[in-house]
Amino acid sequence: MLRNKTLANRLREVFLNGKWIANTNYKLQIEDLTWRQSIQQIQDLNTIAVLIYHVNYYLAGILNVFNGGKLEIRDKYSFDLPPITSEADWKNLVAEFLLNSEKFANHIENMKDSQLDAPFVDEKYGTYQKNIEGVIEHSYYHLGQISLIKKMVLEKESA
């Protein structure tokens, strides 16, 4: 399989439809949550909504680069979730995240090998492939957090 197809499949696996690595994916973890569950604070952990915003922040920022824009995202803003005060706010965040996940995977699927090997924005950031693999690894890290936080939220509700 070509690298672009393999990377796109790995992205879909973590975000949209896979169960092979973690026995779950983002869509499965968040599609049945209410807005109140998504913002439920457990100790000093990030909320699920904050983590979805965080991962989506990077997807949107990198998509901007893929579409010819500048790299404008900054780590210090990546957790700045606007308030979630209704089911509509939460559903909009989820819809944007899932849409960006699919756009991201589709874009990777259509990349040529030469672009995968090219420097991402600046040589100091490595290649496109390195950054895409970083998104996958970063996303699995936060998927694990979301899975555990969701279990804690649901346990707290049933107590």
Side-chain angles (χ1 to χ4, degrees), residues 101-118:
S101 298
E102 189 59 47
K103 284 181 183 178
F104 199 93
N106 287 343
H107 192 90
I108 303 306
E109 192 169 44
N110 292 312
M111 275 188 168
K112 296 186 183 326
D113 273 0
S114 59
Q115 187 174 7
L116 288 171
D117 295 328

Side-chain angles (χ1 to χ4, degrees), residues 31-143:
E31 67 184 351
D32 63 344
L33 287 177
T34 67
W35 74 278
R36 291 190 188 278
Q37 291 168 327
S38 80
I39 62 168
Q40 177 70 49
Q41 188 69 52
I42 302 291
Q43 298 169 17
D44 62 347
L45 302 175
N46 286 311
T47 67
I48 292 170
V50 165
L51 292 170
I52 294 301
Y53 176 85
H54 173 74
V55 174
N56 190 55
Y57 179 84
Y58 286 103
L59 290 177
I62 296 170
L63 277 167
N64 186 54
V65 172
F66 289 167
N67 292 319
K70 294 182 179 185
L71 183 62
E72 299 172 330
I73 52 178
R74 301 292 177 263
D75 292 343
K76 66 181 179 179
Y77 302 122
S78 67
F79 288 97
D80 292 351
L81 171 69
I84 301 286
T85 60
S86 68
E87 194 67 27
D89 290 343
W90 170 240
K91 294 297 181 194
N92 288 338
L93 177 61
V94 169
E96 180 185 353
F97 169 76
L98 294 175
L99 180 63
N100 282 341
S101 298
E102 189 59 47
K103 284 181 183 178
F104 199 93
N106 287 343
H107 192 90
I108 303 306
E109 192 169 44
N110 292 312
M111 275 188 168
K112 296 186 183 326
D113 273 0
S114 59
Q115 187 174 7
L116 288 171
D117 295 328
F120 180 77
V121 180
D122 187 314
E123 287 190 20
K124 69 182 178 184
Y125 298 124
T127 64
Y128 274 80
Q129 181 166 343
K130 180 180 178 181
N131 280 271
I132 294 162
E133 288 173 348
V135 167
I136 294 166
E137 292 167 14
H138 180 242
S139 298
Y140 272 114
Y141 170 75
H142 288 304
L143 176 59

